[in-house]
Amino acid sequence: MIEILMVDDHAIFRSGLRRLLSDEPDMRIVAEAGNGREALERLRNRPFGVVLLDVSMAGGSGLDTLRRIHAEWPSQPVVMLSMYPEEQYAAIALDAGANGYVSKDRDAAQLIDAIRIAASGGFHLPAGLRPGHRPAVPHAAHARLTEREWQILRLIVAGVSLTEIGRRLCLSVKTVSTYRSRLLGKLAIVSNAELVRYCIEHGIDD
């Protein structure tokens, strides 16, 4: 039996995934956490067959949590779940210690396969990506962006104002402006128009 720790800040999503996996005879969710801190607490009490970890959570980055898990429990299998495209985040998650990366818009069968593969110590990755190999996209400057900077980048490119971004992410406008300045600096550009052009040139879209 593969015993799973589910880490996601949306209770409805956790409930739906718990029902989905209950149909599988060889796996079950035995513990849940709503953020990275709770996930680490669960892991300090006991190991799990697989940790399902959301990339984007309120109150902390899933990638940061992944790095902490990998540092404290190097052999703990982790499968990352995300709404972000695989070609932009999978290699980064792998480098941080994940055994797999599955976009939330994929078929449930892919997630189930990823769990079984990770539990056996293997790697479930998008086509064309293998352990130790990174595709061209993650070598670009945007591979250095944090999860929060990615969120703000996408909203800016979508035409959302800094004030509205702050409202959606529960951040002050000043904080959003600081993140914007950091991501522009990392990409060596100076304006929103250049940011849009950068995303087009690098195939960054939703």
Side-chain angles (χ1 to χ4, degrees):
M1 177 68 69
I2 303 171
E3 297 187 328
I4 300 167
L5 168 62
M6 176 71 238
V7 187
D8 191 288
D9 59 348
H10 293 94
I12 293 177
F13 178 79
R14 296 199 308 268
S15 176
L17 194 57
R18 187 167 57 250
R19 288 195 298 271
L20 172 69
L21 298 184
S22 67
D23 293 333
E24 301 303 314
D26 60 338
M27 63 183 67
R28 64 190 176 108
I29 294 177
V30 297
E32 298 180 17
N35 54 52
R37 177 184 55 78
E38 292 179 359
L40 296 173
E41 290 175 356
R42 304 289 187 274
L43 283 162
R44 291 187 181 107
N45 291 327
R46 54 160 295 183
F48 295 88
V50 170
V51 175
L52 291 181
L53 178 61
D54 188 21
V55 168
S56 179
M57 295 183 292
S61 164
L63 288 172
D64 288 342
T65 300
L66 171 63
R67 294 184 181 99
R68 293 189 62 181
I69 291 174
H70 189 60
E72 294 191 42
W73 303 279
S75 62
Q76 173 63 62
V78 179
V79 173
M80 299 296 290
L81 296 173
S82 177
M83 62 181 178
Y84 298 118
E86 294 167 344
E87 64 271 16
Q88 293 174 11
Y89 260 105
I92 297 172
L94 175 64
D95 281 353
N99 291 71
Y101 183 101
V102 180
S103 293
K104 288 183 176 180
D105 61 355
R106 293 294 184 180
D107 188 272
Q110 291 197 29
L111 174 59
I112 292 169
D113 286 344
I115 292 171
R116 292 191 176 115
I117 292 170
S120 66
F123 295 86
H124 181 277
L125 303 166
L129 183 64
R130 296 292 181 269
H133 169 72
R134 291 170 64 88
V137 170
H139 278 301
H142 57 266
R144 298 183 291 116
L145 298 181
T146 65
E147 180 187 341
R148 181 65 82 186
E149 288 166 349
W150 267 110
Q151 290 177 313
I152 291 174
L153 177 151
R154 290 179 173 281
L155 290 170
I156 290 174
V157 171
V160 181
S161 69
L162 297 187
T163 299
E164 176 62 14
I165 291 173
R167 188 191 67 79
R168 294 187 188 185
L169 301 181
C170 298
L171 299 172
S172 70
V173 175
K174 181 178 180 181
T175 299
V176 173
S177 296
T178 298
Y179 277 117
R180 175 184 175 277
S181 297
R182 288 176 183 172
L183 75 88
L184 292 181
K186 289 180 179 180
L187 301 180
I189 56 182
V190 298
S191 70
N192 289 357
E194 289 186 19
L195 181 60
V196 173
R197 187 180 307 115
Y198 180 97
C199 290
I200 294 173
E201 290 175 350
H202 289 80
I204 300 171
D205 54 43
D206 291 324

